[in-house]
């Protein structure tokens, strides 16, 4: 199937779709109490990872988008 | 008999070029210089928890050869005869490489990291390995004490943190323990200690500098770069360490020649900024000097334009990618149970939980990262450089939980370029942090970020800024 948008255009669409709807949890830590023991720490990290994945899942991702591996000048 | 040279602070805090000129003028020998810096590193390094491994004797042997070379006119460039230190994640044969972590305290890797080989080939003298946050920070950590060598104590105020994970590298340059050092950055580990310690740090473009012989934390994010006294010094060191290397699968195969004189005229350079980064976001004590720094950059004659970063959850992306890759790399440590020997409970939990990240989520993060790169390519077709405070506040207290500091005061909805460090790392972009003033007696930094492989443009702006200001010449209290 032929693409009708450039990847750059799709990136813009994806970014616009997500505009203003989220704040990265890792950029805005919660003011909650610190975990008291290793179990609580693990629970907190798992919750953070889950929240991260949920944020990432909100980004519209064109089917043709491949994982980033190369950086060009 | 020749008079013993006086290595006073003016010499100790000299730039690479200044030291090399004195060596060539025979004001002192490379052996004398290596001894002076080696003794200073061993005497003062422990005061700041900066020293991981002294290598003075080794350096002095190499210095003898350098003196012979200089004597017969075999000159190898500005780094010849100048001591340096490296973050203790770089392998050096016959000595421990601890990665800043207790489980690896006795680890000996019989390999010389490519970057060390290159500096030694240029006549550099490795006088010691420097402390770091354990496993370069792993997925995350909560406390400055997350290091086998202890918390990095800031030379400007030892009750405050040096920044990490290249803690010892930032400290050693700021305190005059080495003229320059190598650090590494996965997401902020060169720029943060540079800003907190008041030194100039360069994060090179991903792939420009070989990581062969370096601990891996995240294959797709790790970079090695210099922390120095000036932008000029960063250029000199980068020229020596850059270049293709079959030992690093991510090597871009590109060389770097420091030539700021050939960078574009400043009037033709456009710098993108977000005004909120210099008003509402920074710590109030930091705002005056950050604003002044931006005005001084504008006064170089560049054009400026208010722009927005592409809108992505940068923290979530970089967190997911580092967690998944680090957990894979350190799976043997985690599965053996030795992970529990690490100093920081959050890091231990982060590594364990990282093993649970599904492949689909890691791949999704890496696919979204492609969109991030596209977004930055678009942004950097409109402006040449992005500018922002390196950190929006000076170094925190040693005992502060590092993941709770941002909640101390409300921030505006428009976050400006607050996420420029994770964003720049995700996009593989070079970044330069320049000392730019103080807040409550602690150093501040301003960062310039450019297109891939545009280091000369960043360094040209940095060099000109430093020719007009003296922030990079300030020294911490004795």
């Amino acid at each position: 199937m032929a693409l009708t948008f450039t990847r750059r255009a799709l990136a813009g669409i994806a970014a616009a779709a997500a505009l203003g709807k989220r704040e990265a949890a890792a950029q805005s830590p919660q003011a909650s109490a610190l975990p008291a023991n290793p179990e609580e720490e693990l629970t907190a990290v798992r919750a953070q990872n889950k929240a991260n994945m949920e944020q990432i899942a909100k980004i519209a991702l064109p089917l043709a988008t491949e994982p980033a591996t190369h950086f060009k000048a | 008999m020749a008079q013993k040279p006086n290595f006073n602070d003016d010499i100790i805090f000299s730039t690479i070029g200044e030291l090399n000129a004195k060596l060539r003028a025979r004001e002192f020998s490379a052996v004398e210089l290596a001894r002076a810096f080696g003794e200073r590193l061993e005497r003062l390094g422990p005061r700041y928890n900066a020293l991981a491994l002294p290598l003075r004797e080794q350096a002095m042997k190499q210095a003898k050869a350098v003196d012979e070379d200089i004597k017969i006119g075999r000159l190898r460039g500005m780094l010849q005869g100048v001591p340096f230190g490296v973050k203790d994640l770089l392998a050096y044969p016959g000595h421990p490489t601890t990665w800043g972590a207790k489980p690896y305290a006795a680890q000996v890797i019989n390999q010389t990291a490519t970057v060390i080989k290159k500096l030694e080939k240029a006549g550099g003298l490795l006088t010691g390995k420097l402390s770091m946050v354990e496993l370069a920070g792993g997925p995350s950590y909560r406390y400055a004490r997350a290091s086998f060598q202890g918390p990095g104590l800031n030379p400007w105020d030892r009750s405050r943190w040096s920044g990490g994970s290249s803690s010892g590298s930032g400290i050693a340059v700021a305190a005059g323990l080495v003229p320059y050092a190598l650090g590494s950055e996965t997401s902020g580990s060169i720029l943060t200690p540079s800003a907190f310690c008041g030194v100039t740090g360069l994060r090179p473009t991903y792939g420009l500098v070989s990581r062969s012989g370096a601990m891996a934390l995240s294959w797709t994010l790790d970079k090695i770069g210099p922390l120095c006294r000036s932008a000029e010094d960063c250029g000199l060191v980068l020229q020596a360490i850059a270049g293709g290397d079959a030992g690093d699968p991510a090597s871009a195969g590109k060389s770097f020649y420091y030539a700021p004189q050939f960078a574009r005229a400043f009037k033709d350079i456009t710098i993108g900024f977000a005004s909120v980064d210099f008003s509402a976001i920074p710590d109030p004590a930091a705002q005056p000097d950050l604003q002044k720094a931006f005005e001084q950059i504008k006064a170089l004659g560049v054009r400026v334009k208010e722009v927005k970063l592409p809108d992505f959850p940068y923290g979530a992306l970089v967190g997911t990618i580092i967690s998944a890759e680090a957990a894979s790399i350190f799976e043997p440590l985690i599965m053996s149970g030795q992970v529990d020997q690490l100093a920081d409970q959050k890091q231990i939990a982060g590594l364990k939980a990282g093993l649970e990240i599904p492949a689909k989520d890691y791949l999704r993060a890496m696919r979204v990262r492609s969109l991030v790169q596209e977004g930055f390519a678009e942004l950097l077709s409109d402006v040449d450089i992005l500018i922002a405070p390196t950190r929006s506040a000076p170094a925190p207290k040693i005992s502060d939980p590092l993941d709770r500091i941002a909640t101390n005061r409300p921030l505006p909805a428009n976050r400006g370029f607050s996420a420029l460090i994770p964003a720049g790392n995700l996009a593989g972009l070079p970044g330069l942090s320049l000392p730019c003033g103080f807040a409550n007696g602690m150093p501040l930094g301003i960062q310039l970020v450019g297109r891939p492989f545009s280091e000369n443009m960043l360094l040209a702006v940095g060099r000109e800024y430093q020719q007009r200001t003296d922030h990079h010449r300030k020294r911490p209290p004795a």
Side-chain angles (χ1 to χ4, degrees):
Chain A
M1 187 175 76
L3 288 176
T4 53
F5 297 99
T6 63
R7 292 181 71 198
R8 184 167 294 178
L10 288 166
I13 293 166
L19 188 65
K21 292 184 179 174
R22 54 185 156 67
E23 286 288 331
Q27 293 164 222
S28 180
Q30 301 300 305
S32 55
L34 293 172
N37 54 54
E39 289 71 31
E40 282 187 24
E41 197 78 66
L42 191 55
T43 302
V45 171
R46 283 174 174 147
Q48 179 66 68
N49 287 350
K50 186 167 178 283
N52 286 346
M53 293 167 199
E54 286 169 357
Q55 285 185 56
I56 295 166
K58 289 177 186 169
I59 306 292
L61 195 53
L63 279 177
T65 305
E66 294 186 8
T69 49
H70 298 292
F71 303 93
K72 295 171 190 163
Chain B
M1 186 177 154
Q3 195 178 358
K4 195 178 175 187
N6 172 24
F7 287 101
N8 59 33
D9 277 4
D10 286 342
I11 294 176
I12 290 295
F13 286 91
S14 295
T15 63
I16 291 170
E18 290 163 350
L19 289 173
N20 184 259
K22 290 179 191 298
L23 281 165
R24 291 186 191 202
R26 313 277 182 89
E27 289 187 28
F28 42 74
S29 69
V31 167
E32 288 167 334
L33 190 64
R35 182 184 296 119
F37 272 105
E39 285 175 357
R40 192 173 163 88
L41 179 60
E42 288 167 37
R43 180 165 50 88
L44 296 178
R47 178 177 161 82
Y48 306 108
N49 294 331
L51 181 60
L53 176 73
L55 289 166
R56 176 167 42 133
E57 294 306 319
Q58 183 114 356
M60 286 177 57
K61 278 183 200 163
Q62 290 172 332
K64 278 182 193 166
V66 167
D67 280 333
E68 287 301 315
D69 280 349
I70 291 175
K71 200 172 170 183
I72 61 171
R74 190 183 291 157
L75 303 179
R76 289 190 252 169
M78 299 284 238
L79 303 182
Q80 187 176 27
V82 178
F84 68 99
V86 300
K87 186 175 183 177
D88 195 25
L89 56 51
L90 294 171
Y92 200 64
H95 299 278
T97 299
T98 71
W99 298 346
K102 189 178 177 186
Y104 300 100
Q107 171 178 248
V108 176
I109 302 171
N110 281 317
Q111 175 189 0
T112 304
T114 294
V115 286
I116 297 177
K117 274 187 205 167
K118 288 186 171 215
L119 290 175
E120 288 188 336
K121 191 176 174 191
L125 308 173
L126 178 60
T127 53
K129 295 218 280 179
L130 305 168
S131 64
M132 56 184 282
V133 174
E134 56 189 1
L135 307 183
S140 187
Y141 54 101
R142 176 164 298 122
Y143 291 109
R145 62 175 180 264
S147 171
F148 179 57
Q149 287 95 15
L153 307 182
N154 197 305
W156 291 88
D157 176 352
R158 290 196 306 146
S159 74
R160 292 185 179 270
W161 188 40
S162 59
S165 64
S166 306
S167 313
S169 304
I171 295 165
V173 176
L177 312 183
V178 292
Y180 71 94
L182 296 184
S184 72
E185 172 151 333
T186 303
S187 185
S189 289
I190 290 175
L191 297 194
T192 299
S194 296
F196 285 173
C197 292
V199 304
T200 306
L202 176 66
R203 176 189 73 218
T205 304
Y206 178 82
L208 182 58
V209 176
S210 170
R211 304 163 305 175
S212 177
M215 185 203 89
L217 172 63
S218 166
W219 303 290
T220 67
L221 285 159
D222 296 340
K223 281 87 54 185
I224 294 171
L227 293 89
C228 301
R229 305 211 176 291
S230 67
E232 178 96 13
D233 282 3
C234 284
L236 295 171
V237 177
L238 182 62
Q239 178 169 300
I241 62 175
D245 183 9
D248 181 350
S251 173
K254 287 177 181 283
S255 297
F256 172 79
Y257 296 96
Y258 177 51
Q261 66 273 27
F262 298 125
R264 211 183 301 170
F266 287 165
K267 68 179 176 55
D268 297 327
I269 293 175
T270 303
I271 296 185
F273 72 101
S275 55
V276 71
D277 287 328
F278 298 92
S279 53
I281 289 180
D283 183 299
Q287 286 176 19
D289 279 11
L290 290 172
Q291 287 168 1
K292 190 174 172 189
F294 186 35
E295 293 303 318
Q296 288 167 327
I297 292 283
K298 284 195 272 189
L300 302 181
V302 297
R303 292 180 291 197
V304 295
K305 182 176 181 179
E306 178 122 20
V307 294
K308 288 183 177 175
L309 289 192
D311 190 50
F312 290 100
Y314 297 107
L317 287 167
V318 85
T320 300
I321 293 165
I322 294 175
S323 294
E325 294 187 15
S328 175
I329 291 162
F330 292 106
E331 185 177 1
L333 178 78
I334 300 164
M335 299 310 289
S336 71
Q338 285 184 298
V339 69
D340 292 321
Q341 295 175 19
L342 294 178
D344 193 271
Q345 287 298 322
K346 185 174 181 185
Q347 175 152 186
I348 294 169
L351 285 166
K352 289 177 178 175
L355 280 180
E356 301 163 0
I357 293 175
K360 71 177 179 61
D361 290 326
Y362 169 72
L363 286 168
R364 185 172 185 89
M366 288 295 283
R367 291 174 71 203
V368 173
R369 189 176 172 190
S370 286
L371 303 183
V372 170
Q373 290 176 350
E374 294 282 343
F376 270 89
E378 179 83 29
L379 177 59
L380 290 169
S381 67
D382 187 30
V383 298
D384 301 295
I385 292 174
L386 301 170
I387 191 169
T390 307
R391 307 297 307 199
S392 58
K397 289 279 187 186
I398 281 292
S399 55
D400 286 347
L402 302 171
D403 53 352
R404 294 297 192 274
I405 291 167
T407 60
N408 288 350
R409 63 194 170 84
L411 291 172
N414 175 2
R415 300 291 293 275
F417 293 0
S418 295
L420 189 54
I421 283 182
N425 277 283
L426 285 164
L429 307 176
L432 177 68
S433 181
L434 303 162
C436 72
F438 293 85
N440 301 325
M442 296 304 294
L444 299 169
I446 196 160
Q447 62 174 318
L448 306 174
V449 172
R451 300 183 191 103
F453 308 108
S454 68
E455 280 84 354
N456 263 322
M457 186 186 292
L458 304 182
L459 291 166
V461 173
R463 187 179 75 153
E464 186 64 26
Y465 173 73
Q466 292 184 330
Q467 283 176 352
R468 298 183 185 203
T469 60
D470 66 352
H471 306 300
H472 63 298
R473 292 280 184 185
K474 297 280 170 61
R475 303 168 190 169

